[in-house]
Amino acid sequence: MRPLWWRWLFAASFLEVTSARRPSKATAGPIELGEPRLQCPDYSWWAYRRNPPFSTGKYELAHQRLQPACRTFNLSEVEETIAGMKRNIQDPDLFRLFENSFPNTLDTAIAWHGKAEKIHYFGGHDEEELTFITTGDINAMWLRDSANQLHSYKSLLKPNKSSSSLASLFRDYVTPRPNQTSVFECKYELDSLAAFLQLSHDYFVGTSDSAFFGRHRWVQAIDTIMNVTTELLAGTYNENGTVAISPYQFQRTTLTSTETLGSAGVGSPVKSGTGLIRSAFRPSDDACTYQLFVPANMMFSRYLGLCVRIMEKLDEKAKAKKIAEFAESIRVGIERYGRVDHPVYGRIYAYEVDGFGSHNVMDDANIPSLLSAPMFGYLGRNDPIYLNTRRFVLSKHNPYFMYGPVMNATGGPHIGPGMAWPMGLIAQIMTTDDDAEIVSALKQLLSSTDGLGLIHESVNTHSSSIWTRQWYIPLRACLACPASGKTCPANHLLVTPRFSWANGLFGQMMLDLRERKPHLLARSYQ
């Protein structure tokens, strides 16, 4: 029988949940999950339209924000930021893309927000706040996606006890305990645990509210994460050569090989003693070829180390020391086993390894990626090994670097060849100081929205009218017809433009440019 922590792991740490405790009441900002909103359009369909007024640039981008009364959460700080950026961004199309994308999670994805009806665990607090954040186009909460959706607003985070504040969304989300009977997906991804640590650190740095972490069993959650990840250090074989029982197994009936694990649900063999934590799946939800997934180990090591400060504030010195040592041991494992020699680019980081010597040399647009390593602070953007890796990632030697007249960026096997991900292009901007590279990437992003003014999941490198979001509405229609009104051939799949994480990341990138490269916001992109 699996230990209790495994059930918690299954229900919360790397799964997408479709329900959680219903709050006793909603705040003035958001609404209850499933509550009808009179006279408010269904955004999943409304966002297909090119809604006026259009931007005054050559792309004539649509205005894709609902009226304030129809938004799921209203926040004055976001509106003030948008107004401020209007003074900084001179290009009308670039501003419209920021105006639509930055508030997208708050406008459309806060399914509900409020107080718990009762205390659900020993030592709980009767003022426990809760938030359910969807990915944007499906009624499920990904721990990784939702944490990153809030991460986009970290620069606006400040101490605020109000239940309708940005800080309340972080408080509500930092330590949820979802209903263990309602799980949307059962894929284990190490980066989901890293996302919990990232969100914890964001809240702590933004508010200095260490007392919060002492009220809602955050320390116990970290204990559970330590137990889980320590067990996942184990390899496929015991010391005597017998096959070890895998701590995680997953199989499903599917026509897509990346949707399940080989070897009867345990995946490819992994060597013990590397110091690296196994991950069955990538942040793209695709199965790992080799389960020592380097970008997730980078992100986990980085944020686990940053959470030491929180433990110290809670006077948990022994646990602080333990997690600091664990974070450092993972880093040692990455540097020992995660580097390989490339015949063109020299010493680079591999995407995945198995510890035996096999490695997967590629990069995927989904974060954490090798390209995004400086974004979460694992290393600096001028680190020599990173620079070698970056040159490889953004070259035709990377099997998932997509290129064409519309967009040149990383993609991945989740959508497949020929489909570049704007998220990869955004990460490229956030990891360079080269003005020409940034300008080129911004122009590609502007030209790739099909006039809708939203960031898509992926875009065909030869046609901006072909774009995807992985969660789709199962109707047959032309990808471009909602915007163009053209007759639709019957063999295309209608997909929603609402990928809230990518939209928020675009806004986060623009705020980063305001600090690093304000002159690039003052120029034209026409």
Side-chain angles (χ1 to χ4, degrees):
M1 182 175 180
R2 297 196 185 280
L4 180 62
W5 60 260
W6 189 263
R7 290 191 294 152
W8 181 93
L9 177 70
F10 234 67
S13 294
F14 39 68
L15 308 180
E16 300 84 31
V17 294
T18 55
S19 70
R21 287 166 292 169
R22 191 175 183 85
S24 57
K25 61 180 180 179
T27 65
I31 61 164
E32 292 277 351
L33 184 64
E35 178 183 322
R37 291 158 49 204
L38 299 178
Q39 300 178 343
C40 290
D42 180 343
Y43 193 82
S44 293
W45 291 102
W46 188 80
Y48 280 118
R49 301 174 51 188
R50 299 192 66 246
N51 299 292
F54 305 122
S55 60
T56 58
K58 71 176 182 180
Y59 295 109
E60 298 182 330
L61 299 183
H63 183 269
Q64 302 291 49
R65 297 193 70 190
L66 297 169
Q67 294 297 315
C70 293
R71 298 170 190 166
T72 57
F73 200 89
N74 287 288
L75 197 64
S76 61
E77 293 97 318
V78 167
E79 303 308 320
E80 291 165 3
T81 299
I82 293 171
M85 287 292 278
K86 189 172 186 179
R87 295 188 290 270
N88 298 121
I89 303 172
Q90 299 303 307
D91 188 276
D93 292 328
L94 187 60
F95 174 71
R96 174 54 57 82
L97 189 53
F98 174 79
E99 179 185 23
N100 287 340
S101 62
F102 181 56
N104 189 261
T105 288
L106 299 181
D107 285 359
T108 69
I110 310 300
W112 55 250
H113 170 68
K115 300 288 182 66
E117 291 179 340
K118 60 183 180 179
I119 299 173
H120 287 256
Y121 49 83
F122 179 77
H125 197 277
D126 61 1
E127 289 298 307
E128 185 180 11
E129 298 169 297
L130 295 170
T131 297
F132 194 92
I133 304 174
T134 70
T135 63
D137 56 4
I138 191 169
N139 188 25
M141 183 170 74
W142 270 247
L143 185 59
R144 170 194 57 252
D145 287 48
S146 299
N148 279 295
Q149 284 165 253
L150 288 184
H151 186 66
S152 299
Y153 305 112
K154 69 173 184 175
S155 64
L156 308 182
L157 186 59
K158 58 187 178 182
N160 194 326
K161 297 297 183 183
S162 170
S163 60
S164 59
S165 65
L166 178 60
S168 75
L169 296 183
F170 279 76
R171 284 195 298 270
D172 306 345
Y173 191 79
V174 169
T175 54
R177 186 175 180 176
N179 186 335
Q180 297 181 7
T181 65
S182 300
V183 174
F184 182 79
E185 179 61 281
C186 295
K187 293 175 177 176
Y188 157 53
E189 300 163 13
L190 176 60
D191 59 277
S192 290
L193 296 176
F196 172 88
L197 301 173
Q198 171 189 275
L199 192 68
S200 299
H201 175 257
D202 285 350
Y203 180 78
F204 176 72
V205 170
T207 67
S208 300
D209 182 13
S210 57
F212 166 78
F213 294 92
R215 289 199 300 269
H216 297 299
R217 293 174 61 87
W218 181 84
V219 173
Q220 289 87 338
I222 297 299
D223 289 342
T224 298
I225 288 173
M226 291 289 287
N227 289 337
V228 169
T229 50
T230 298
E231 184 162 345
L232 288 163
L233 294 172
T236 302
Y237 305 105
N238 295 314
E239 286 296 321
N240 63 2
T242 58
V243 177
I245 297 175
S246 176
Y248 173 80
Q249 300 173 30
F250 180 87
Q251 276 188 302
R252 66 159 44 127
T253 301
T254 176
L255 297 176
T256 305
S257 62
T258 55
E259 286 294 307
T260 190
L261 297 180
S263 300
V266 300
S268 300
V270 174
K271 188 177 187 297
S272 295
T274 64
L276 298 176
I277 304 165
R278 295 168 69 170
S279 184
F281 290 87
R282 303 168 180 166
S284 62
D285 294 336
D286 299 307
C288 289
T289 301
Y290 304 116
Q291 291 189 2
L292 302 181
F293 176 44
V294 174
N297 274 272
M298 288 176 166
M299 183 178 179
F300 186 86
S301 172
R302 168 64 173 168
Y303 282 108
L304 184 65
L306 290 175
C307 285
V308 170
R309 290 178 57 199
I310 304 174
M311 279 291 187
E312 290 174 341
K313 283 288 185 179
L314 297 176
D315 202 28
E316 294 280 357
K317 295 180 181 178
K319 291 182 178 181
K321 182 175 183 292
K322 181 179 179 181
I323 66 174
E325 291 173 348
F326 190 31
E328 179 58 26
S329 70
I330 298 167
R331 176 177 283 272
V332 170
I334 293 168
E335 299 306 314
R336 180 177 179 184
Y337 291 96
R339 296 179 178 185
V340 297
D341 290 314
H342 191 277
V344 175
Y345 299 97
R347 198 71 165 163
I348 66 172
Y349 288 105
Y351 190 65
E352 298 165 346
V353 299
D354 65 0
F356 294 109
S358 297
H359 52 266
N360 188 6
V361 179
M362 58 164 280
D363 201 23
D364 188 293
N366 280 267
I367 296 172
S369 60
L370 295 175
L371 181 63
S372 67
M375 291 170 58
F376 48 82
Y378 178 79
L379 40 64
R381 60 170 66 100
N382 293 317
D383 178 273
I385 305 299
Y386 172 73
L387 289 176
N388 289 346
T389 306
R390 192 176 193 276
R391 284 191 287 268
F392 158 74
V393 167
L394 300 178
S395 77
K396 295 178 183 179
H397 288 92
N398 175 9
Y400 291 104
F401 180 75
M402 314 302 179
Y403 50 93
V406 174
M407 183 174 288
N408 297 270
T410 50
H414 196 71
I415 301 299
M419 301 297 287
W421 286 51
M423 179 178 285
L425 206 54
I426 294 168
Q428 185 177 340
I429 292 172
M430 297 182 74
T431 56
T432 185
D433 288 317
D434 186 288
D435 284 10
E437 184 178 1
I438 294 171
V439 168
S440 174
L442 287 174
K443 287 181 176 180
Q444 292 175 66
L445 289 168
L446 274 178
S447 67
S448 69
T449 77
D450 199 20
L452 294 174
L454 289 169
I455 300 295
H456 302 310
E457 178 196 46
S458 71
V459 178
N460 188 283
T461 58
H462 286 76
S463 174
S464 63
S465 293
I466 301 175
W467 44 264
T468 70
R469 173 48 165 108
Q470 69 187 74
W471 298 109
Y472 58 86
I473 299 167
L475 294 175
R476 295 290 174 179
C478 172
L479 290 170
C481 73
S484 68
K486 297 177 182 178
T487 302
C488 304
N491 62 343
H492 288 274
L493 193 62
L494 180 63
V495 292
T496 173
R498 272 213 296 155
F499 187 25
S500 288
W501 177 11
N503 280 276
L505 186 64
F506 176 84
Q508 182 181 344
M509 175 270 293
M510 291 292 288
L511 295 178
D512 177 61
L513 287 181
R514 183 178 65 176
E515 300 302 316
R516 292 195 299 127
K517 303 279 186 177
H519 59 284
L520 296 185
L521 301 185
R523 58 158 290 164
S524 171
Y525 290 86
Q526 299 300 303

